[in-house]
Amino acid sequence: MLVKPNPNLNSLPDLVILVKNFSKDGLSDLLANLLYKILLRYTKDQIEENGVAEVFVKEVKTYTSWDTETRNWKTYREEVYTINGEVFLLTPKYIVRNTYLFGIDKYLRNQVIEYYQTLPEYKDADGKKIPKKTIIDKLSSEQENWKYNHARNYAKENYDSLKNFHQHMHNRYHEIGELSDEKLDEIVYGKVLS
């Protein structure tokens, strides 16, 4: 079990870093399922506030979402907006990002490789740091699952590394800021809509 050997795993983005093959898409799917009921409420409010309910069909659907009170999955049955029989969900713009910032590659570069550069075996003959790319190339040639092995080992041995990484990425999110309407149009439609 991953949680026992990594007691500092306490945030969902850590799954992308510490669990092999749990990609950012897996995290997005998990978060959407956890927030499904909230996203349905947001979607309903937006549709009704903007007076576009006639574009959709209302259907009673059964779905599962996380219940924060019981801290368990719960099945719900309620009326939702659909298009062609599929539930229509909106995501608030303030949580949408063009690039997913949390990930194993960023963790490795920001935490693990930077630490390795302080070790004697990752310095050249003059005692200067070997470039990160050189270290990554060397590690990647050594073993198949090197990213996850190094990330897990480093997280176990350096308890604060995930917390430090979260703080670093939190600061980056604030630097980047919320997507503008124009940038969101480009991402969704491939062009800016007027």
Side-chain angles (χ1 to χ4, degrees):
M1 173 180 243
L2 182 63
V3 176
K4 284 185 181 177
N6 287 290
N8 53 346
L9 176 67
N10 57 18
S11 177
L12 287 175
D14 295 344
L15 294 171
V16 175
I17 296 167
L18 299 173
V19 178
K20 184 181 174 217
N21 297 328
F22 190 88
S23 68
K24 56 190 173 193
D25 292 335
L27 182 60
S28 295
D29 292 346
L30 175 60
L31 289 172
N33 284 311
L34 286 168
L35 299 172
Y36 199 83
K37 186 167 181 59
I38 294 166
L39 293 174
L40 278 175
R41 167 58 47 202
Y42 175 79
T43 300
K44 182 178 180 186
D45 290 347
Q46 291 301 307
I47 287 171
E48 292 171 2
E49 281 177 27
N50 290 288
V52 293
E54 68 278 356
V55 174
F56 302 92
V57 175
K58 275 188 166 181
E59 293 183 49
V60 175
K61 295 275 189 179
T62 302
Y63 63 91
T64 303
S65 189
W66 187 254
D67 181 30
T68 55
E69 288 181 24
T70 63
R71 293 181 168 206
N72 210 337
W73 294 101
K74 186 174 177 182
T75 301
Y76 298 91
R77 185 164 173 78
E78 66 180 280
E79 196 171 58
V80 297
Y81 287 101
T82 65
I83 295 179
N84 298 325
E86 297 292 323
V87 176
F88 183 76
L89 280 182
L90 293 172
T91 303
K93 187 175 90 170
Y94 69 89
I95 64 172
V96 174
R97 295 290 181 262
N98 183 26
T99 304
Y100 189 72
L101 294 179
F102 280 90
I104 184 119
D105 292 318
K106 287 185 173 58
Y107 177 74
L108 283 168
R109 290 184 77 75
N110 179 269
Q111 297 290 313
V112 181
I113 305 301
E114 278 192 17
Y115 169 72
Y116 287 174
Q117 287 181 311
T118 67
L119 302 175
E121 60 264 35
Y122 293 102
K123 295 192 186 284
D124 65 17
D126 297 326
K128 292 182 181 175
K129 294 178 185 178
I130 294 174
K132 288 181 181 181
K133 184 179 180 340
T134 304
I135 295 172
I136 290 168
D137 290 344
K138 179 184 182 305
L139 295 174
S140 67
S141 68
E142 292 176 357
Q143 54 185 219
E144 186 180 335
N145 299 315
W146 73 274
K147 289 182 181 183
Y148 296 96
N149 293 337
H150 284 269
R152 280 193 294 257
N153 290 338
Y154 188 77
K156 280 194 282 188
E157 293 169 11
N158 299 277
Y159 188 81
D160 288 338
S161 71
L162 287 168
K163 184 178 84 171
N164 294 339
F165 182 63
H166 286 275
Q167 186 59 51
H168 172 77
M169 298 316 291
H170 175 78
N171 294 342
R172 287 284 296 134
Y173 271 120
H174 286 290
E175 287 172 22
I176 292 169
E178 188 176 294
L179 288 177
S180 67
D181 290 341
E182 292 78 17
K183 185 64 178 171
L184 190 56
D185 283 351
E186 276 182 40
I187 294 166
V188 174
Y189 306 111
K191 63 180 181 179
V192 177
L193 303 177
S194 329

